[in-house]
Amino acid sequence: MPADRLPARGTPRGVAVLMTCHNRRERTLAAIASVYAQTGLPAGTRCTVHLVDAGSADGTADAVRAAFPATDVLTVGADVHWGTGTRIAATRADPAAHVLWLNDDVVLDPGALTALLDTAAPLDRPAVAVGAMRSGDGTRTTYSGYRLAPARHRPPALRRIEPDPGNAQPCDTCNGNAVLVTAAARRILGDLDPAFPHRLGDHDYGLRARRAGIPLLLAPGHVGTCDDNTHALAGTSAEPGLDVRTALKRLASVREQPPAPWWRYCRRHLGPWAPLVFCSPYVKTALRRRPGAWPQHPTAPLRADP
């Protein structure tokens, strides 16, 4: 995205909302409705929605076109996942726009986009603004920004940040449920790395922003509602009763921990700890599933299917 495509300083800029969906018609409609219901935006701000429908069989694409005719809808194959779909949506957006990654199961608060724009201000600088999500019952944070916690004798860990009601907070990476990337940051970092077709692209993007010296800021409070899928174990490697081979096959699928993207992420961000961290999920899964293994509480994948 060349620099001469960026608007002049002070000119109101558009925000391109990038979404991917698959067979979640009602949730997708609710998410898009929450975009068009945003309030308090700066005068002249134009918001466009670019939805990549990954082969939904429940009529999602037609329902969106009927309910929101201004939405740009592209239908692709069911083998397209969140990372790839978000990249496709980005190619259909104005290259000079700020972009908002938005999961199709997020319902934004009315002032969410304004809060993210305020967090990233001044908007002519490179910045990434992260929006934290609350659970549907309002009792807890489900997705947010993270701080990197280095340690001398163990791999670095990511610690989730609780949003402060009144202040933005610096973070090192993020979940990609609702993330605003300014046009200037996008010019430097590009869009999501195609090496990550589904998971890890958001964490990778945040860590690359950190490495490039681009501020990554968690907006004050929560900006929307999005339940996690901690207990949705059916069909995953954590489903009870699986044999080792089936569990490892599911773990290595694109929906969970496919080896090639996982190795790229580890090698890029974990330094000398990369080989150990790379092997860890596969070894743990095999040990949990071996005959006679001590029962352990299963862990669901880090990201649900978009």
Side-chain angles (χ1 to χ4, degrees), residues 261-271 273-275 277-279:
W262 177 227
W263 172 241
R264 181 182 291 262
Y265 177 87
C266 291
R267 186 179 60 185
R268 182 177 286 176
H269 301 297
L270 295 170
W273 291 105
V277 176
F278 170 78
C279 294

Side-chain angles (χ1 to χ4, degrees), residues 7 10 24 68 100 111 124 143 166 219 231 233-234 245 259 267:
R24 297 202 293 202
F68 307 105
L100 176 70
D124 57 352
Y143 299 97
H231 304 294
L233 305 181
R245 181 175 180 179
R267 186 179 60 185

Side-chain angles (χ1 to χ4, degrees), residues 291-306:
W294 187 262
Q296 298 188 41
H297 295 292
T299 301
L302 294 179
R303 177 185 295 284
D305 221 8

Side-chain angles (χ1 to χ4, degrees), residues 132-143 222 224-228:
M133 297 287 121
R134 69 175 77 81
S135 58
D137 59 12
T139 62
R140 59 195 174 86
T141 298
T142 52
Y143 299 97
H222 296 91
T225 300
C226 183
D227 280 309
D228 57 21

Side-chain angles (χ1 to χ4, degrees), residues 207-220:
L207 292 171
R208 287 195 288 120
R210 175 179 180 269
R211 186 176 297 166
I214 295 174
L216 194 78
L217 300 166
L218 180 65

Side-chain angles (χ1 to χ4, degrees), residues 64 88 99 121 180 195-196 231 238 263 276 283 286:
V64 170
I88 293 171
V99 297
L180 179 81
F196 305 105
H231 304 294
W263 172 241
L276 176 64
V283 172

Side-chain angles (χ1 to χ4, degrees), residues 137-161:
D137 59 12
T139 62
R140 59 195 174 86
T141 298
T142 52
Y143 299 97
S144 187
Y146 293 83
R147 289 202 181 99
L148 195 61
R152 181 175 296 179
H153 302 299
R154 58 175 175 78
L158 291 175
R159 309 291 186 194
R160 192 170 69 189
I161 305 170

